[in-house]
């Protein structure tokens, strides 16, 4: 067996990790490409091996074979082993999760451990320290290894049995003291070992691994359920006994820095969860008193979503060009509209990320700030303390800003200050809750904003929706009647047989035929003709008609284009767009 003492390649002057040096030496990766991937992994706070395989630079299969040859370690296909017979309890599950390793067997005073990165000396030392045993590496494919590690995590049902069985009495005040008292490491450790904490930790990790956007903990009179919102749809994940509702709610409130003694009014908080040696997830927490206890909703905030780049959001080339042209102007107002959960925040932060340069002063006011973006001055609105959107905007204007982002224009005062800022040499980004781009302008008129202020400040409006993306593995052609396609909005000349609509099927790689989501956009620049319509008090229908003449697609037309491209289904577009 290959020992952890296996010599690695000659050290590189570029400070690449051992895995990177081995790949460069084997000719699998260029030096420059390895350095770029390593820098990207560090900036996004992910592991180097996850960045390698996730970016497609090296496939898990090729990586495993290369590491097996480079380090003289045996190669194992994890699909060929009986996972039920793997030894349990030899190594803490947190270490296995952090370093993506699996213990295969124990012989004398040595452990046989599956890994995808035999050059990770830190993992080897951690195992030695925790078990006082030597390590022999066996190479496995990273994707299969990750799945097995997740499957071996503590079962939620087993944890619940421990909670209800009364093996541990949860003490909220002791937990609060343990967390707030940084010097009391022993007490904090005891709290972390509590079954209720393990269950919550499991739920949060499962939600993250399943790419959920929200977790809902919902108490009822005779039952209690946990639901995840995955690709925009709620799915029931667990139904623990109702007896644990108060303990779980209290634990969540403690680590979110909320008042556990107050159960009569809604509260908001935030918390963090470390999911690896270099990866931390942020969560936004909201509690709401209901008839039978507190409903807790936890939203997963992924800072990396703002750094995906505008190409990953799903804009068509002409839509992307319009948006980039607007935000690169020195002043004016760009509005993003859509219902809650339509991806407005990610779109705004993607724009901010493009504008975020050393010579640009950017300030944001949000309620609350969801994504932390270094280089941007972010302010959380606090209505109780008097820090409203309007108050924050007034303060921004005294600090020589170049770009201002307002989380939402809710009232006339905020709108008035934002418009004046856009008219006096500042780029202003904000959101409104309207159905499409043309109705945004009439909504601003109804708020009491003078038409000449709207026409002279707003330069572009983007309306958006999120639709579920069809799974590329299992999607199948749809035999749709011609009349159904015409009723949906397709033109007769589009039904020429050169393209095929697809339908969801469902497989092990997706969720009921869908995997991930994509954006559907209506990007409407404010042209001179639309300005004239605004100035004479024209309706949303007048604005929509003129926008159509100028080549602006409606949300339905943008969605149907995604159907023609095979990216989503017709039924999904019909469900997220109204016409």
């Amino acid at each position: 067996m290959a020992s952890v003492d296996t010599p690695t390649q000659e050290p590189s002057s570029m400070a690449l990790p051992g895995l990177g040096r081995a790949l460069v030496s084997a000719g699998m990766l260029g030096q420059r490409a390895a350095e770029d991937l390593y820098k990207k992994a560090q900036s996004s706070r992910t592991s180097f091996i996850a960045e390698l395989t996730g970016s497609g630079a090296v496939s898990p299969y090729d990586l495993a074979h290369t590491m097996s040859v480079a380090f003289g370690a045996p190669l194992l296909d994890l699909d060929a082993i009986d996972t039920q017979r793997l030894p349990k309890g030899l190594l803490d599950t947190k270490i296995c999760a952090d370093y993506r390793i699996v213990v295969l067997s124990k012989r004398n005073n040595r452990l046989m451990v599956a890994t995808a990165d035999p050059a990770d000396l830190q993992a080897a030392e951690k195992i030695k320290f925790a078990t006082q045993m030597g390590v022999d590496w066996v190479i496995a494919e990273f994707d299969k290894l990750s799945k097995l590690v997740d499957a071996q995590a503590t079962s939620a049902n087993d944890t619940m049995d421990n909670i209800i069985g009364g093996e541990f009495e949860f003490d909220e005040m002791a937990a609060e003291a343990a967390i707030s008292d940084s010097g009391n490491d022993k007490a904090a450790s005891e709290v972390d070992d509590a079954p209720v904490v393990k269950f919550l930790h499991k739920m949060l990790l499962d939600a993250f691994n399943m790419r959920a956007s929200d977790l809902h903990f919902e108490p009822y009179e005779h039952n209690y359920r946990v639901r995840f919102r995955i690709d925009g749809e709620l799915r029931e994940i667990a139904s623990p006994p109702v007896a644990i509702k108060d303990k779980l709610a209290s634990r969540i409130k403690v680590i979110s820095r909320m008042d556990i003694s107050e159960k009569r009014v809604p509260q908001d908080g935030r918390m963090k969860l470390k999911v690896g040696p270099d990866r931390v997830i942020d969560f936004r927490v909201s509690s709401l008193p209901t008839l039978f206890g507190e409903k807790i909703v936890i939203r997963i905030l992924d800072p990396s979503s703002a750094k995906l780049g505008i190409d990953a959001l799903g804009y068509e080339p002409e839509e992307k060009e319009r948006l980039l042209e607007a935000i690169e102007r020195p002043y004016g107002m760009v509005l993003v509209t859509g219902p809650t959960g339509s991806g407005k925040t990610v779109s705004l932060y993607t724009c901010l990320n493009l504008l975020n340069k050393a010579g640009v002063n950017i300030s944001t006011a949000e309620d609350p700030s969801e994504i932390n973006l270094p280089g941007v001055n972010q302010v959380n609105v606090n209505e109780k303390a008097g820090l409203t959107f309007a108050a924050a905007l007034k303060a921004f204007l005294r600090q020589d800003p170049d770009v201002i982002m307002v989380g939402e224009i809710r009232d006339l005062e905020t709108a008035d200050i934002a418009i004046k800022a856009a008219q006096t040499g500042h780029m202003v980004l904000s959101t409104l809750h309207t159905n499409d781009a043309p109705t945004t302008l009439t909504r601003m008129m109804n708020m009491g904003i003078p038409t000449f202020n709207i026409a002279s400040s707003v330069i572009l409006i983007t309306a958006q929706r999120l639709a579920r993306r069809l799974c590329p593995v299992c999607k199948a052609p749809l035999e749709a009647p011609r009349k159904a396609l015409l009723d949906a909005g397709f033109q007769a000349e589009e039904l020429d047989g050169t393209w095929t609509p697809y339908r969801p099927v469902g497989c092990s790689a997706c969720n009921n035929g869908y995997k991930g989501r994509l954006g559907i956009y209506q990007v409407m620049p404010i042209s001179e003709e639309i300005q004239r319509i605004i100035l004479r008090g024209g309706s949303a229908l007048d604005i929509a008609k003129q926008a159509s003449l100028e080549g602006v697609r409606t949300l339905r037309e943008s969605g149907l284009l995604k159907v023609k491209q095979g990216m989503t289904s017709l039924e999904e577009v019909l469900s997220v767009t109204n016409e």
Side-chain angles (χ1 to χ4, degrees):
M1 294 299 167
S3 170
V4 295
D5 299 324
T6 302
T8 59
Q9 304 295 329
E10 289 296 318
S12 168
S13 60
M14 307 310 293
L16 281 173
L19 178 66
R21 297 196 300 271
L23 288 172
V24 171
S25 178
M28 292 287 293
L29 206 60
Q31 178 77 23
R32 180 64 180 272
E35 292 171 10
D36 290 343
L37 286 168
Y38 185 52
K39 290 176 184 176
K40 190 174 179 182
Q42 288 182 312
S43 64
S44 59
R45 303 184 71 184
T46 58
S47 66
F48 180 56
I49 191 169
E51 189 67 43
L52 271 174
T53 55
S55 66
V58 181
S59 72
Y61 178 83
D62 291 338
L63 178 64
H65 277 260
T66 303
M67 291 300 99
S68 177
V69 173
F71 289 85
L75 184 65
L76 175 67
D77 183 359
L78 292 178
D79 288 340
I81 68 172
D82 183 0
T83 58
Q84 299 300 319
R85 295 195 170 191
L86 290 176
K88 296 177 175 61
L90 291 177
L91 189 61
D92 188 271
T93 54
K94 188 175 186 305
I95 296 177
C96 294
D98 286 348
Y99 295 98
R100 314 313 278 176
I101 54 178
V102 171
V103 178
L104 300 174
S105 66
K106 174 180 177 291
R107 180 182 298 174
N108 298 325
N109 201 36
R110 299 189 71 83
L111 292 178
M112 185 185 295
V113 182
T115 183
D117 183 7
D120 191 347
L121 299 179
Q122 187 178 10
E125 291 303 318
K126 194 80 172 180
I127 297 170
K128 286 180 179 179
F129 182 81
T131 63
Q132 300 301 307
M133 287 186 275
V135 181
D136 293 317
W137 288 135
V138 173
I139 311 301
E141 293 164 54
F142 183 73
D143 53 349
K144 295 179 181 179
L145 190 62
S146 294
K147 287 181 182 178
L148 182 55
V149 168
D150 293 338
Q152 285 193 323
T154 305
S155 166
N157 291 333
D158 291 342
T159 305
M160 290 312 306
D161 289 341
N162 290 337
I163 295 173
I164 304 307
E167 294 184 12
F168 178 80
E169 183 65 28
F170 187 70
D171 185 345
E172 293 87 353
M173 298 308 294
E176 185 176 24
I179 292 172
S180 61
D181 183 3
S182 58
N184 194 346
D185 295 335
K186 185 176 184 298
S189 175
E190 290 173 355
V191 170
D192 287 339
D193 289 338
V196 70
V197 180
K198 290 182 180 178
F199 173 70
L200 176 59
H201 190 270
K202 175 74 165 60
M203 288 291 98
L204 295 175
L205 281 179
D206 282 352
F208 181 74
N209 292 330
M210 295 170 72
R211 296 169 48 160
S213 59
D214 304 271
L215 300 84
H216 295 246
F217 297 86
E218 302 170 316
Y220 298 97
E221 185 174 9
H222 301 297
N223 66 300
Y224 188 74
R225 69 178 178 183
V226 181
R227 295 192 292 175
F228 294 172
R229 188 178 294 279
I230 302 172
D231 294 336
E233 287 198 340
L234 280 171
R235 293 172 54 188
E236 187 167 334
I237 301 299
S239 297
V242 71
I244 63 102
K245 63 181 182 181
D246 293 330
K247 293 180 180 181
L248 194 56
S250 294
R251 176 62 198 180
I252 294 172
K253 289 167 72 175
V254 163
I255 58 179
S256 304
R257 300 182 181 276
M258 296 155 68
D259 184 357
I260 64 172
S261 64
E262 181 56 78
K263 301 181 180 181
R264 299 165 298 174
V265 297
Q267 294 188 65
D268 294 307
R270 295 176 78 100
M271 64 182 180
K272 295 178 182 289
L273 178 68
K274 190 172 183 180
V275 295
D278 53 2
R279 184 71 182 270
V280 176
I281 314 170
D282 288 324
F283 300 90
R284 192 177 76 187
V285 184
S286 173
S287 71
L288 178 70
T290 66
L291 287 177
F292 303 105
E294 289 182 283
K295 175 182 176 179
I296 308 285
V297 176
I298 302 176
R299 170 163 288 189
I300 299 176
L301 307 176
D302 188 2
S304 62
S305 61
K307 300 178 182 179
L308 292 174
I310 195 167
D311 293 324
L313 298 184
Y315 285 94
E316 295 299 321
E318 64 274 19
E319 295 171 344
K320 171 186 169 183
E321 185 179 347
R322 291 172 191 160
L323 180 60
L324 291 178
E325 183 182 352
I327 65 173
E328 287 171 359
R329 290 172 63 171
Y331 57 88
M333 177 180 286
V334 173
L335 295 172
V336 180
T337 75
T340 301
S342 59
K344 298 189 298 296
T345 300
V346 171
S347 293
L348 282 176
Y349 268 92
T350 300
C351 293
L352 288 180
N353 205 38
L354 293 172
L355 298 171
N356 189 14
K357 300 171 184 175
V360 180
N361 180 15
I362 303 176
S363 296
T364 74
E366 299 167 85
D367 185 20
S369 297
E370 293 190 2
I371 298 173
N372 180 26
L373 195 61
V376 174
N377 306 293
Q378 297 172 276
V379 174
N380 276 336
V381 168
N382 188 338
E383 300 277 354
K384 292 181 180 178
L387 182 55
T388 61
F389 281 115
L393 270 173
K394 289 177 182 177
F396 290 166
L397 294 175
R398 292 192 289 269
Q399 297 203 344
D400 186 32
D402 298 303
V403 179
I404 297 172
M405 196 269 271
V406 186
E408 182 184 351
I409 294 179
R410 297 177 179 174
D411 52 60
L412 180 58
E413 184 184 10
T414 304
D416 187 51
I417 300 171
I419 283 176
K420 287 179 180 176
Q423 292 172 333
T424 55
H426 307 90
M427 171 54 63
V428 179
L429 309 177
S430 190
T431 69
L432 272 175
H433 288 281
T434 56
N435 291 327
D436 59 14
T439 56
T440 303
L441 295 169
T442 54
R443 165 76 187 281
M444 296 178 77
M445 297 179 199
N446 293 336
M447 289 175 67
I449 303 171
T451 54
F452 62 85
N453 277 342
I454 299 173
S456 63
S457 60
V458 181
I459 58 176
L460 181 133
I461 301 173
T462 295
Q464 65 182 69
R465 300 288 188 276
L466 286 179
R468 291 180 293 171
R469 188 189 296 269
L470 282 169
C471 174
V473 176
C474 66
K475 67 179 182 180
L478 171 68
E479 296 295 333
R482 180 182 178 87
K483 185 178 184 305
L485 294 176
L486 290 172
D487 291 343
F490 285 108
Q491 301 300 314
E493 58 269 21
E494 293 181 279
L495 307 181
D496 54 8
T498 59
W499 59 275
T500 303
Y502 287 87
R503 61 180 175 86
V505 177
C507 65
S508 60
C510 65
N511 297 310
N512 300 321
Y514 296 98
K515 186 174 184 180
R517 291 196 284 179
L518 56 88
I520 296 175
Y521 303 94
Q522 180 187 28
V523 182
M524 186 181 79
I526 307 302
S527 64
E528 290 185 3
E529 188 56 40
I530 291 178
Q531 286 179 335
R532 293 189 186 99
I533 296 174
I534 296 169
L535 287 171
R536 65 172 182 259
S539 67
L541 291 175
D542 297 329
I543 297 169
K545 184 177 179 180
Q546 179 60 34
S548 180
L549 292 175
E550 295 175 2
V552 176
R553 297 188 189 91
T554 64
L555 284 167
R556 173 62 61 84
E557 289 169 346
S558 293
L560 295 179
L561 181 59
K562 294 291 193 291
V563 173
K564 289 181 67 176
Q565 294 169 349
M567 301 174 72
T568 189
S569 66
L570 181 59
E571 62 179 345
E572 182 69 9
V573 169
L574 295 178
S575 69
V576 300
T577 60
N578 296 319
E579 284 198 6

